[in-house]
Amino acid sequence: MEVVILPGAKPIAALAADAIEALLRNKPDAVLGLATGSSPLPVYEELERRHRRGLDFSRVRAFALDEYVGLPPGHPGSYREVIRREFTGRVNIRPENVHGPDGEAADVPAACRAFEEAIRAAGGVDLQLLGLGTDGHIGFNEPGSSLASRTRIKTLVEQTRRDNARFFSNLAEVPHHVITQGLGTILEARHVILLATGAQKAQAVRDLVEGPVAAICPASVLQLHPHVTVLLDEAAASSLRLADYYRHSYDSKPRWQGL
Ligand code: GLP
């Protein structure tokens, strides 16, 4: 796991966009794993800027991490809509190449299996963007999630519903149930880039990077992945014991290595 501590959201977005741009130049039909929440938004803005300067997404395939269950079609808070509004609708990804779990499915287990199969059929995710919940969740894998889990229905922790209420008109409107890629699914992505900013993420970041691998902090399972990059601002990194070592390692890293 590589931890990179940067001065703020802009340099974090630039570095994540560099990795995505390098991937697309090398593999124009790459499979991107997309996250929602506020953390990836500056990355999407940066990618949109680069698209206007010529970065091509026409052959890219994309898979969202998660979705709320039971929101009416077109609800602005649904992740299908968020992903379209904030990113895929702003670059030239073909709408039919953007996939997400089906939160309106009548048969949820069958929809979860079909989603897993679609990821497999696309050849797996090349680069997965992740945010981090204040309780250590990734996707919507709440504490207690099986570290081997696959795409399935989950019940949200109340703290997560409160954290996400800002995207709805009130707390009561936030669904209790979601469909999320499992931790086992996320671990199969070839490169994972997790973004976290702000002091409210500091404890979850410490548990993820330096705590034991344990279901109480689902993101800690990333310690088992061979290629994870954690991009942090100073506030999110403020509880890390080895922060100076991470800074030193990154500052002295041969630049040809990339992320
Ligand atoms: C939601 C999403 C997660 C995201 C988290 C953090 O719960 N399901 O994928 O990581 O929010 O969001 P933010 O980046 O807004 O803090």
Side-chain angles (χ1 to χ4, degrees):
M1 180 177 284
E2 178 174 37
V3 179
V4 184
I5 304 169
L6 293 161
K10 270 203 158 183
I12 290 175
L15 200 54
D18 285 349
I20 294 170
E21 179 164 358
L23 171 67
L24 297 192
R25 299 227 179 267
N26 192 36
K27 186 179 180 187
D29 64 345
V31 178
L32 297 181
L34 302 178
T36 48
S38 335
S39 308
L41 294 180
V43 181
Y44 296 150
E45 278 166 31
E46 179 60 24
L47 289 173
E48 183 189 349
R49 256 193 299 278
R50 294 182 190 204
H51 167 62
R52 281 200 236 102
R53 293 202 304 260
L55 184 60
D56 181 30
F57 291 83
S58 61
R59 295 173 60 201
V60 166
R61 283 84 45 81
F63 288 85
L65 273 174
D66 45 12
E67 182 56 284
Y68 292 104
V69 168
L71 289 179
H75 188 289
S78 83
Y79 283 170
R80 179 185 303 241
E81 282 299 304
V82 172
I83 292 278
R84 188 190 54 72
R85 198 169 58 231
E86 304 291 356
F87 180 49
T88 58
R90 296 164 176 250
V91 296
N92 64 332
I93 298 187
R94 296 157 64 135
E96 63 271 30
N97 285 348
V98 182
H99 308 273
D102 183 359
E104 297 158 47
D107 184 343
V108 170
C112 294
R113 282 194 299 275
F115 183 65
E116 289 266 339
E117 184 44 43
I119 297 175
R120 250 191 306 277
V125 172
D126 289 299
L127 190 155
Q128 176 68 57
L129 282 178
L130 288 180
L132 178 67
T134 54
D135 63 0
H137 73 242
I138 50 176
F140 267 137
N141 292 280
E142 294 285 31
S145 289
S146 157
L147 301 184
S149 48
R150 311 301 307 188
T151 301
R152 69 215 182 290
I153 192 165
K154 286 292 288 182
T155 305
L156 292 181
V157 166
E158 280 304 294
Q159 181 183 324
T160 304
R161 290 186 67 245
R162 281 194 299 274
D163 286 348
N164 288 349
R166 65 188 192 282
F167 299 112
F168 293 82
S169 31
N170 55 60
L171 179 60
E173 211 193 308
V174 185
H176 289 271
H177 293 107
V178 292
I179 296 176
T180 180
Q181 285 189 31
L183 295 171
T185 319
I186 293 169
L187 284 181
E188 286 173 5
R190 286 181 272 279
H191 182 196
V192 174
I193 298 183
L194 181 142
L195 318 154
T197 54
Q200 74 284 5
K201 300 287 173 74
Q203 185 60 47
V205 166
R206 176 165 178 174
D207 292 344
L208 140 69
V209 177
E210 296 177 341
V213 174
I216 194 69
C217 175
S220 66
V221 77
L222 296 174
Q223 293 176 32
L224 299 173
H225 190 288
H227 191 185
V228 173
T229 309
V230 178
L231 302 182
L232 305 172
D233 69 357
E234 293 287 346
S238 58
S239 295
L240 290 172
R241 283 176 56 191
L242 301 183
D244 286 344
Y245 171 63
Y246 307 136
R247 283 193 188 91
H248 170 70
S249 304
Y250 187 67
D251 289 346
S252 47
K253 180 179 177 180
R255 288 300 144 197
W256 56 261
Q257 274 191 306
L259 286 181

mmCIF file of all heavy atoms in Angstrom, residues 35-40 65-66 68 79 130-134 137-140 160 164 166-167 195 200-201, ligand 1:
data_model
loop_
_atom_site.group_PDB
_atom_site.id
_atom_site.type_symbol
_atom_site.label_atom_id
_atom_site.label_comp_id
_atom_site.label_asym_id
_atom_site.label_seq_id
_atom_site.Cartn_x
_atom_site.Cartn_y
_atom_site.Cartn_z
ATOM 1 N N ALA A 35 -16.604 5.696 -8.194
ATOM 2 C CA ALA A 35 -17.164 5.872 -6.854
ATOM 3 C C ALA A 35 -18.020 7.128 -6.828
ATOM 4 O O ALA A 35 -17.866 8.019 -7.660
ATOM 5 C CB ALA A 35 -16.027 5.994 -5.837
ATOM 6 N N THR A 36 -18.906 7.193 -5.843
ATOM 7 C CA THR A 36 -19.708 8.403 -5.642
ATOM 8 C C THR A 36 -19.251 9.079 -4.353
ATOM 9 O O THR A 36 -18.178 8.779 -3.855
ATOM 10 C CB THR A 36 -21.206 8.037 -5.581
ATOM 11 O OG1 THR A 36 -21.329 6.944 -4.692
ATOM 12 C CG2 THR A 36 -21.720 7.654 -6.949
ATOM 13 N N GLY A 37 -20.055 9.965 -3.799
ATOM 14 C CA GLY A 37 -19.633 10.751 -2.640
ATOM 15 C C GLY A 37 -18.888 11.982 -3.123
ATOM 16 O O GLY A 37 -18.691 12.176 -4.331
ATOM 17 N N SER A 38 -18.455 12.833 -2.193
ATOM 18 C CA SER A 38 -17.792 14.093 -2.584
ATOM 19 C C SER A 38 -16.335 13.878 -2.988
ATOM 20 O O SER A 38 -15.800 14.639 -3.801
ATOM 21 C CB SER A 38 -17.797 15.105 -1.437
ATOM 22 O OG SER A 38 -18.830 14.871 -0.556
ATOM 23 N N SER A 39 -15.669 12.880 -2.397
ATOM 24 C CA SER A 39 -14.216 12.758 -2.593
ATOM 25 C C SER A 39 -13.785 12.642 -4.054
ATOM 26 O O SER A 39 -12.798 13.288 -4.441
ATOM 27 C CB SER A 39 -13.674 11.576 -1.784
ATOM 28 O OG SER A 39 -14.092 11.681 -0.451
ATOM 29 N N PRO A 40 -14.465 11.856 -4.903
ATOM 30 C CA PRO A 40 -13.978 11.743 -6.284
ATOM 31 C C PRO A 40 -14.350 12.928 -7.175
ATOM 32 O O PRO A 40 -13.856 13.008 -8.303
ATOM 33 C CB PRO A 40 -14.637 10.463 -6.809
ATOM 34 C CG PRO A 40 -15.663 10.072 -5.835
ATOM 35 C CD PRO A 40 -15.578 10.941 -4.627
ATOM 36 N N LEU A 65 -19.748 1.397 -8.048
ATOM 37 C CA LEU A 65 -19.551 0.524 -6.888
ATOM 38 C C LEU A 65 -20.853 0.071 -6.256
ATOM 39 O O LEU A 65 -20.944 -1.036 -5.733
ATOM 40 C CB LEU A 65 -18.831 1.316 -5.784
ATOM 41 C CG LEU A 65 -17.337 1.392 -5.749
ATOM 42 C CD1 LEU A 65 -16.937 2.357 -4.646
ATOM 43 C CD2 LEU A 65 -16.735 0.023 -5.500
ATOM 44 N N ASP A 66 -21.825 0.981 -6.231
ATOM 45 C CA ASP A 66 -22.977 0.716 -5.362
ATOM 46 C C ASP A 66 -24.195 1.523 -5.800
ATOM 47 O O ASP A 66 -24.100 2.380 -6.689
ATOM 48 C CB ASP A 66 -22.610 1.013 -3.893
ATOM 49 C CG ASP A 66 -21.862 2.333 -3.709
ATOM 50 O OD1 ASP A 66 -21.808 3.134 -4.666
ATOM 51 O OD2 ASP A 66 -21.336 2.578 -2.614
ATOM 52 N N TYR A 68 -28.410 2.775 -4.199
ATOM 53 C CA TYR A 68 -29.499 2.671 -3.223
ATOM 54 C C TYR A 68 -30.579 1.742 -3.767
ATOM 55 O O TYR A 68 -30.805 1.682 -4.973
ATOM 56 C CB TYR A 68 -30.112 4.042 -2.970
ATOM 57 C CG TYR A 68 -29.179 4.983 -2.246
ATOM 58 C CD1 TYR A 68 -28.521 6.000 -2.926
ATOM 59 C CD2 TYR A 68 -28.961 4.851 -0.878
ATOM 60 C CE1 TYR A 68 -27.664 6.870 -2.264
ATOM 61 C CE2 TYR A 68 -28.104 5.716 -0.206
ATOM 62 C CZ TYR A 68 -27.463 6.715 -0.900
ATOM 63 O OH TYR A 68 -26.607 7.560 -0.242
ATOM 64 N N TYR A 79 -27.309 6.674 -7.449
ATOM 65 C CA TYR A 79 -25.913 6.742 -7.897
ATOM 66 C C TYR A 79 -25.804 6.659 -9.409
ATOM 67 O O TYR A 79 -24.872 7.190 -9.999
ATOM 68 C CB TYR A 79 -25.079 5.674 -7.192
ATOM 69 C CG TYR A 79 -24.736 6.052 -5.757
ATOM 70 C CD1 TYR A 79 -24.162 5.139 -4.882
ATOM 71 C CD2 TYR A 79 -24.969 7.342 -5.283
ATOM 72 C CE1 TYR A 79 -23.833 5.490 -3.583
ATOM 73 C CE2 TYR A 79 -24.648 7.701 -3.983
ATOM 74 C CZ TYR A 79 -24.081 6.759 -3.146
ATOM 75 O OH TYR A 79 -23.738 7.125 -1.865
ATOM 76 N N LEU A 130 -11.921 4.848 -5.074
ATOM 77 C CA LEU A 130 -12.700 4.630 -3.853
ATOM 78 C C LEU A 130 -12.689 5.873 -2.992
ATOM 79 O O LEU A 130 -11.656 6.558 -2.895
ATOM 80 C CB LEU A 130 -12.090 3.504 -3.004
ATOM 81 C CG LEU A 130 -12.191 2.058 -3.459
ATOM 82 C CD1 LEU A 130 -11.508 1.165 -2.421
ATOM 83 C CD2 LEU A 130 -13.645 1.636 -3.645
ATOM 84 N N GLY A 131 -13.810 6.150 -2.337
ATOM 85 C CA GLY A 131 -13.832 7.079 -1.211
ATOM 86 C C GLY A 131 -13.769 6.252 0.061
ATOM 87 O O GLY A 131 -13.529 5.037 0.015
ATOM 88 N N LEU A 132 -14.007 6.883 1.185
ATOM 89 C CA LEU A 132 -13.927 6.186 2.475
ATOM 90 C C LEU A 132 -15.009 6.743 3.387
ATOM 91 O O LEU A 132 -15.079 7.967 3.583
ATOM 92 C CB LEU A 132 -12.535 6.433 3.092
ATOM 93 C CG LEU A 132 -12.252 5.834 4.461
ATOM 94 C CD1 LEU A 132 -12.221 4.306 4.400
ATOM 95 C CD2 LEU A 132 -10.915 6.364 5.012
ATOM 96 N N GLY A 133 -15.851 5.871 3.932
ATOM 97 C CA GLY A 133 -16.855 6.333 4.893
ATOM 98 C C GLY A 133 -16.200 6.674 6.221
ATOM 99 O O GLY A 133 -15.109 6.169 6.533
ATOM 100 N N THR A 134 -16.844 7.517 7.021
ATOM 101 C CA THR A 134 -16.248 7.868 8.327
ATOM 102 C C THR A 134 -16.182 6.632 9.230
ATOM 103 O O THR A 134 -15.402 6.603 10.177
ATOM 104 C CB THR A 134 -17.049 8.991 9.027
ATOM 105 O OG1 THR A 134 -18.421 8.586 9.119
ATOM 106 C CG2 THR A 134 -16.962 10.296 8.258
ATOM 107 N N HIS A 137 -16.157 2.361 5.842
ATOM 108 C CA HIS A 137 -16.724 1.575 4.734
ATOM 109 C C HIS A 137 -16.127 1.998 3.397
ATOM 110 O O HIS A 137 -15.706 3.130 3.210
ATOM 111 C CB HIS A 137 -18.256 1.626 4.714
ATOM 112 C CG HIS A 137 -18.891 2.907 4.275
ATOM 113 N ND1 HIS A 137 -19.701 3.667 5.081
ATOM 114 C CD2 HIS A 137 -18.872 3.559 3.088
ATOM 115 C CE1 HIS A 137 -20.147 4.718 4.419
ATOM 116 N NE2 HIS A 137 -19.651 4.684 3.207
ATOM 117 N N ILE A 138 -16.086 1.051 2.484
ATOM 118 C CA ILE A 138 -15.781 1.333 1.071
ATOM 119 C C ILE A 138 -16.927 0.750 0.265
ATOM 120 O O ILE A 138 -17.489 -0.289 0.635
ATOM 121 C CB ILE A 138 -14.408 0.774 0.617
ATOM 122 C CG1 ILE A 138 -14.230 -0.699 0.992
ATOM 123 C CG2 ILE A 138 -13.282 1.621 1.181
ATOM 124 C CD1 ILE A 138 -12.917 -1.318 0.478
ATOM 125 N N GLY A 139 -17.270 1.422 -0.863
ATOM 126 C CA GLY A 139 -18.561 1.113 -1.474
ATOM 127 C C GLY A 139 -19.581 1.376 -0.379
ATOM 128 O O GLY A 139 -19.550 2.414 0.282
ATOM 129 N N PHE A 140 -20.459 0.406 -0.158
ATOM 130 C CA PHE A 140 -21.360 0.489 1.000
ATOM 131 C C PHE A 140 -21.133 -0.732 1.892
ATOM 132 O O PHE A 140 -22.063 -1.242 2.505
ATOM 133 C CB PHE A 140 -22.816 0.575 0.558
ATOM 134 C CG PHE A 140 -23.347 1.981 0.408
ATOM 135 C CD1 PHE A 140 -24.139 2.327 -0.674
ATOM 136 C CD2 PHE A 140 -23.096 2.956 1.372
ATOM 137 C CE1 PHE A 140 -24.661 3.606 -0.813
ATOM 138 C CE2 PHE A 140 -23.616 4.240 1.251
ATOM 139 C CZ PHE A 140 -24.399 4.572 0.151
ATOM 140 N N THR A 160 -23.985 6.432 8.435
ATOM 141 C CA THR A 160 -23.825 6.583 6.980
ATOM 142 C C THR A 160 -25.044 7.283 6.393
ATOM 143 O O THR A 160 -24.905 8.153 5.521
ATOM 144 C CB THR A 160 -23.636 5.197 6.323
ATOM 145 O OG1 THR A 160 -22.521 4.556 6.933
ATOM 146 C CG2 THR A 160 -23.414 5.317 4.828
ATOM 147 N N ASN A 164 -24.890 10.876 4.474
ATOM 148 C CA ASN A 164 -25.326 11.015 3.076
ATOM 149 C C ASN A 164 -26.632 11.802 2.930
ATOM 150 O O ASN A 164 -27.084 12.029 1.805
ATOM 151 C CB ASN A 164 -25.476 9.625 2.437
ATOM 152 C CG ASN A 164 -24.106 8.985 2.201
ATOM 153 O OD1 ASN A 164 -23.080 9.650 2.323
ATOM 154 N ND2 ASN A 164 -24.087 7.715 1.868
ATOM 155 N N ARG A 166 -27.181 14.801 3.117
ATOM 156 C CA ARG A 166 -27.025 16.070 2.390
ATOM 157 C C ARG A 166 -27.360 15.932 0.897
ATOM 158 O O ARG A 166 -27.578 16.936 0.234
ATOM 159 C CB ARG A 166 -25.614 16.627 2.587
ATOM 160 C CG ARG A 166 -24.495 15.779 2.000
ATOM 161 C CD ARG A 166 -23.140 16.350 2.441
ATOM 162 N NE ARG A 166 -22.010 15.787 1.723
ATOM 163 C CZ ARG A 166 -21.475 14.596 1.957
ATOM 164 N NH1 ARG A 166 -21.994 13.806 2.898
ATOM 165 N NH2 ARG A 166 -20.432 14.179 1.264
ATOM 166 N N PHE A 167 -27.377 14.701 0.399
ATOM 167 C CA PHE A 167 -27.710 14.496 -1.009
ATOM 168 C C PHE A 167 -29.221 14.272 -1.221
ATOM 169 O O PHE A 167 -29.668 14.033 -2.337
ATOM 170 C CB PHE A 167 -26.936 13.302 -1.577
ATOM 171 C CG PHE A 167 -25.439 13.496 -1.521
ATOM 172 C CD1 PHE A 167 -24.639 12.731 -0.680
ATOM 173 C CD2 PHE A 167 -24.829 14.466 -2.312
ATOM 174 C CE1 PHE A 167 -23.261 12.909 -0.631
ATOM 175 C CE2 PHE A 167 -23.452 14.657 -2.268
ATOM 176 C CZ PHE A 167 -22.662 13.881 -1.429
ATOM 177 N N LEU A 195 -9.285 7.808 -2.059
ATOM 178 C CA LEU A 195 -9.110 9.235 -1.800
ATOM 179 C C LEU A 195 -9.794 9.588 -0.486
ATOM 180 O O LEU A 195 -10.946 9.198 -0.268
ATOM 181 C CB LEU A 195 -9.796 10.055 -2.903
ATOM 182 C CG LEU A 195 -9.629 9.572 -4.339
ATOM 183 C CD1 LEU A 195 -10.798 10.035 -5.181
ATOM 184 C CD2 LEU A 195 -8.336 10.112 -4.900
ATOM 185 N N GLN A 200 -12.425 14.598 9.506
ATOM 186 C CA GLN A 200 -13.469 13.618 9.862
ATOM 187 C C GLN A 200 -13.124 12.226 9.350
ATOM 188 O O GLN A 200 -13.723 11.240 9.788
ATOM 189 C CB GLN A 200 -14.857 14.086 9.364
ATOM 190 C CG GLN A 200 -15.125 13.988 7.869
ATOM 191 C CD GLN A 200 -14.448 15.079 7.028
ATOM 192 O OE1 GLN A 200 -13.683 15.893 7.540
ATOM 193 N NE2 GLN A 200 -14.714 15.078 5.733
ATOM 194 N N LYS A 201 -12.118 12.117 8.455
ATOM 195 C CA LYS A 201 -11.712 10.802 7.931
ATOM 196 C C LYS A 201 -10.460 10.264 8.632
ATOM 197 O O LYS A 201 -10.034 9.141 8.347
ATOM 198 C CB LYS A 201 -11.441 10.891 6.420
ATOM 199 C CG LYS A 201 -12.629 11.341 5.565
ATOM 200 C CD LYS A 201 -13.670 10.251 5.455
ATOM 201 C CE LYS A 201 -14.942 10.726 4.762
ATOM 202 N NZ LYS A 201 -14.801 10.899 3.324
HETATM 203 C C1 GLP B 1 -20.944 6.904 0.322
HETATM 204 C C2 GLP B 1 -20.480 5.993 -0.798
HETATM 205 C C3 GLP B 1 -19.041 5.616 -0.617
HETATM 206 C C4 GLP B 1 -18.207 6.845 -0.320
HETATM 207 C C5 GLP B 1 -18.686 7.488 0.956
HETATM 208 C C6 GLP B 1 -17.835 8.673 1.394
HETATM 209 O O1 GLP B 1 -21.297 6.210 1.463
HETATM 210 N N1 GLP B 1 -21.257 4.806 -0.916
HETATM 211 O O2 GLP B 1 -18.574 4.967 -1.794
HETATM 212 O O3 GLP B 1 -16.861 6.498 -0.199
HETATM 213 O O4 GLP B 1 -20.015 7.912 0.686
HETATM 214 O O5 GLP B 1 -18.325 9.846 0.807
HETATM 215 P P1 GLP B 1 -17.583 11.237 0.798
HETATM 216 O O6 GLP B 1 -16.509 11.117 -0.206
HETATM 217 O O7 GLP B 1 -18.652 12.204 0.395
HETATM 218 O O8 GLP B 1 -17.087 11.486 2.168
#
